[in-house]
Amino acid sequence: MTAEGKNTFQVVDEGFTLREAVAEAKKCLQCKVPSCRKGCPIENDIPQFIHALTMGNVGDAMRIINEKSNLPAICGRVCPHEKQCQGHCVLNKKNEPIQIGKIEQFIADFDTEMNLTREPLPQKSRGKIAVIGSGPAGLTVAGDLARIGFNVTIFEGQNEPGGVLMYGIPEYRLPKKVVRAEIEKIAALGVNFKCNTLMGEGDNTIDSLFEQGFDAIFIGTGTAVPQNMDTTPGATLRGVSQSTYFLHNVNSFNEGAISRNAVPLRQGERVAVIGGGNVAMDTARTAIRLGAEVTVLYRRTEAEMPAIKAEYEQAVAEGVKFEWQTTVTEFIAGSNGRLAACKLKTPTDEHEAPFDRVFLAIGSKPANRIVRSTAGIEVDENGYIKVVDRPMGMTTRRGVFAGGDVVHRPQTVVLAMKAAKDVAQGMAQYVDAIKLLEVAKKVEEDREAAK
């Protein structure tokens, strides 16, 4: 196995075997007031699906999970469990919390492998819904509404659905076969997918969707535009690029869509990653796998770093270096005009450090393509879409809803799902209301015609 090969992206943690999953589940105390459930943003019924597993009933465990989550195999892998469900487990007092994420992952994977779940679905007669974007928020809205009788179509700009799940999270942390399997389950609910359809360009607009007869539209396009450091001298030098671009290219390489030469990193390069979130950790660990020497530069302390603790610890174990309370004040060019070094400022000094390449992981913001092409959708000063609470998630344009990162700023997968589930309820209420008004109007018209 070489640093240049795809084998370096094999999954770090393969998950539980059946024996291990049942043994871990049997540790659960079945608390009368389950704090783990309170720690879960979508209030998954954790004790119940764990109990079902201890009884050997994986199908029932999957049914319980499906009542709250559309993406359990993904959440089981990438959610910050130590801050949520697992972090609230009462066994934390003994430093032995139930590994809830790995149990959820096992149940979902077993269900996929054995093809257990076949949900009875209602006729799609309640209304017609368009979902723009197929990331966590879009898939959640689509799944929830399809389950209660709505005809849902997802519009995705890429050639394959999944959004950040497919293109933004490295293979070693979230295998693409897992994402595809979860999306197949969403499709099995009767959800339609239209890929290579970039909304907000040409004839693909919000108005055109309404003209096609959609009753309501959900915008779940996330934050596709990365933040930059344009005010920092040298920020436009060759060798300074975005982490999201790098991760997208590496995922495409692992899928065989592009060659290794198209990935902006060479083996042996000295790489700096600027940022302290999960994207920074993904970038650093990915660059290590491609044979780079990697240092993360973060402007605050280790305690203030927003990345999942386990991701940080694994990055350290893999050889990533960290420099705390460090900011880049200048990108310095070499004789060839490319990046050669960075001027770093710390609490004690300012010095230069040699780097061949820098990846920026300092946040992102929404694209304005859809808002720009649509009348009546208001955004705040940073471009995030404004929504109301009644009906939940509706924008200032009637019938257009939004949720996830495009509204609430970049968050975790499960928090995007939580917001999307609330919006799905608001959309159902809205469509039911307009359908009722249409019926009432027709009754009145018929009454007038009969006079």
Side-chain angles (χ1 to χ4, degrees):
M1 184 174 69
T2 68
E4 289 289 304
K6 297 177 187 177
N7 289 340
T8 56
F9 288 88
Q10 62 188 354
V11 175
V12 172
D13 187 349
E14 293 288 353
F16 283 144
T17 63
L18 174 59
R19 183 182 297 274
E20 290 168 340
V22 173
E24 185 70 15
K26 286 182 176 179
K27 295 178 183 178
C28 179
L29 301 178
Q30 291 292 312
C31 305
K32 290 184 178 180
V33 182
S35 54
C36 59
R37 184 174 183 179
K38 292 181 180 179
C40 175
I42 57 174
E43 297 182 337
N44 222 328
D45 200 342
I46 295 165
Q48 287 301 308
F49 74 67
I50 287 179
H51 178 68
L53 179 59
T54 64
M55 301 296 289
N57 196 336
V58 182
D60 194 41
M62 190 74 252
R63 177 191 60 77
I64 294 166
I65 291 173
N66 280 340
E67 291 176 358
K68 293 292 184 179
S69 175
N70 289 298
L71 305 170
I74 293 170
C75 287
R77 287 172 165 86
V78 303
C79 279
H81 302 105
E82 70 266 21
K83 295 181 180 179
Q84 297 175 345
C85 55
Q86 191 168 308
H88 286 70
C89 177
V90 295
L91 292 178
N92 268 303
K93 295 176 182 178
K94 297 182 178 180
N95 292 319
E96 297 178 353
I98 304 298
Q99 296 184 63
I100 298 167
K102 291 184 70 172
I103 291 176
E104 181 181 29
Q105 174 186 330
F106 169 79
I107 293 168
D109 288 351
F110 189 90
D111 176 77
T112 297
E113 183 179 351
M114 302 304 294
N115 200 21
L116 293 179
T117 302
R118 283 292 178 269
E119 297 183 55
L121 300 173
Q123 292 292 317
K124 300 294 189 289
S125 57
R126 196 168 164 185
K128 190 176 177 183
I129 303 291
V131 173
I132 304 173
S134 61
L139 292 173
T140 297
V141 165
D144 279 10
L145 292 179
R147 280 191 170 96
I148 56 176
F150 287 91
N151 189 339
V152 183
T153 299
I154 293 180
F155 296 87
E156 168 58 46
Q158 301 281 355
N159 60 8
E160 190 172 4
V164 68
L165 304 173
M166 182 61 70
Y167 298 102
I169 301 177
E171 178 75 11
Y172 66 83
R173 196 153 75 92
L174 180 60
K176 300 304 164 272
K177 67 178 182 180
V178 172
V179 180
R180 292 187 177 106
E182 294 286 67
I183 290 172
E184 285 175 7
K185 290 182 180 181
I186 299 293
L189 300 174
V191 175
N192 304 302
F193 290 85
K194 288 191 176 181
C195 294
N196 295 309
T197 305
L198 194 62
M199 301 304 298
E201 288 193 353
D203 295 330
N204 298 320
T205 64
I206 294 289
D207 293 330
S208 72
L209 292 178
F210 280 126
E211 290 168 2
Q212 293 172 42
F214 287 100
D215 297 304
I217 299 166
F218 175 78
I219 302 174
T221 48
T223 52
V225 179
Q227 302 276 17
N228 56 45
M229 295 178 63
D230 283 353
T231 58
T232 303
T236 59
L237 285 172
R238 285 181 299 144
V240 180
S241 56
Q242 291 290 344
S243 287
T244 50
Y245 174 75
F246 169 64
L247 292 172
H248 191 295
N249 274 264
V250 174
N251 279 329
S252 296
F253 163 62
N254 283 327
E255 289 291 305
I258 63 174
S259 70
R260 174 64 180 86
N261 288 334
V263 177
L265 180 66
R266 298 292 166 261
Q267 187 170 2
E269 286 187 328
R270 297 164 298 184
V271 171
V273 179
I274 301 177
N278 291 326
V279 173
M281 297 305 104
D282 287 344
T283 303
R285 297 178 67 194
T286 297
I288 279 280
R289 283 163 169 73
L290 293 176
E293 180 184 313
V294 184
T295 303
V296 172
L297 308 175
Y298 183 52
R299 62 192 176 93
R300 293 177 177 158
T301 65
E302 177 184 341
E304 295 172 292
M305 184 176 61
I308 297 172
K309 184 179 180 181
E311 291 297 308
Y312 162 66
E313 291 173 346
Q314 288 175 359
V316 172
E318 291 167 0
V320 177
K321 300 172 184 176
F322 287 80
E323 292 193 16
W324 309 109
Q325 293 181 283
T326 301
T327 57
V328 176
T329 58
E330 183 180 356
F331 299 99
I332 301 169
S335 58
N336 59 359
R338 284 184 56 88
L339 175 77
C342 293
K343 184 176 287 187
L344 307 180
K345 184 178 182 181
T346 73
T348 57
D349 73 344
E350 192 166 5
H351 63 279
E352 291 185 11
F355 290 109
D356 303 301
R357 198 176 297 272
V358 169
F359 292 118
L360 307 180
I362 56 175
S364 55
K365 59 184 179 181
N368 66 358
R369 188 177 57 253
I370 293 174
V371 172
R372 189 181 63 241
S373 64
T374 306
I377 299 179
E378 294 182 9
V379 297
D380 67 15
E381 64 276 8
N382 295 311
Y384 291 90
I385 296 176
K386 294 180 179 181
V387 297
V388 298
D389 291 337
R390 297 186 65 184
M392 177 62 74
M394 191 160 81
T395 69
T396 48
R397 169 77 181 266
R398 185 172 178 265
V400 179
F401 293 73
D405 290 359
V406 76
V407 172
H408 300 289
R409 276 100 174 124
Q411 299 187 40
T412 62
V413 169
V414 73
L415 287 173
M417 289 171 58
K418 163 61 177 170
K421 292 182 80 67
D422 292 340
V423 177
Q425 292 183 18
M427 294 181 74
Q429 293 166 358
Y430 169 80
V431 175
D432 287 347
I434 63 172
K435 295 290 186 183
L436 185 60
L437 288 173
E438 288 172 359
V439 170
K441 182 179 179 182
K442 183 66 167 58
V443 169
E444 184 63 27
E445 289 174 347
D446 290 346
R447 183 183 293 115
E448 290 296 319
K451 287 183 180 178

